[in-house]
Amino acid sequence: FTGKTIVVVGCHKGGMGGATARQLAHGGATIVAVDNRQDYLDEIAAEVRELGATCHTLTCDLMDIAECEKLIPRILEQVGPIDGLVNVAGGTRGEEWMPLDETPGESFWKTIQLNFAYVFYLCRDAAKFWIDNDRKGAIVNIGSISAKDGAPWHGPYGAGKSGIIALT
């Protein structure tokens, strides 16, 4: 990954995003770490820099569509061209664990935004940059076993993760 700039979205140091950033750093990549909290980003940036790699940080509220649509342009403006995108962010919220027939529409849409919709915006915008600039790029989207096998009270989450498979 030497000479490559890779965006890692959902970059808490203790999770898959942090592990991904560290592995890419070992491989020589420049990391653009994205999360919704600067303290998460500061922790992973310190670890990546200790490994000898460059790490830029940007906060983004993935629950905010407008912020999602501005993220790739912000990265291109502040950091420069990117070579890869890793979408790791996602998860469940305590209030969404309920039978499907009791799930409020607002809860469903929040789950879809956090686990699928943001992935669409970032993939679309990164691909547009690469196509418009005749550049190569790579996208890795992290899903869940819930995309393939249903689980009790997991309908919206599983649906979102299934969407990632189809989009990818």
Side-chain angles (χ1 to χ4, degrees), residues 46-129:
E47 288 188 12
V48 165
R49 291 173 185 140
E50 285 178 20
L51 295 170
T54 300
C55 187
H56 305 276
T57 64
L58 287 167
T59 59
C60 182
D61 179 0
L62 299 176
M63 298 298 287
D64 184 324
I65 295 168
E67 281 195 43
C68 292
E69 291 195 304
K70 292 176 186 171
L71 182 61
I72 297 297
R74 272 179 56 210
I75 293 168
L76 296 171
E77 179 182 312
Q78 294 178 18
V79 177
I82 60 173
D83 302 289
L85 170 64
V86 183
N87 290 307
V88 181
T92 58
R93 299 173 342 278
E95 67 268 16
E96 74 185 58
W97 289 86
M98 65 187 75
L100 189 64
D101 63 319
E102 297 174 15
T103 301
E106 181 179 350
S107 177
F108 169 78
W109 285 113
K110 285 180 179 178
T111 300
I112 294 299
Q113 180 64 35
L114 177 61
N115 290 287
F116 173 61
Y118 91 86
V119 174
F120 163 77
Y121 298 117
L122 302 190
C123 288
R124 176 197 66 189
D125 296 345
K128 180 168 179 34
F129 165 73

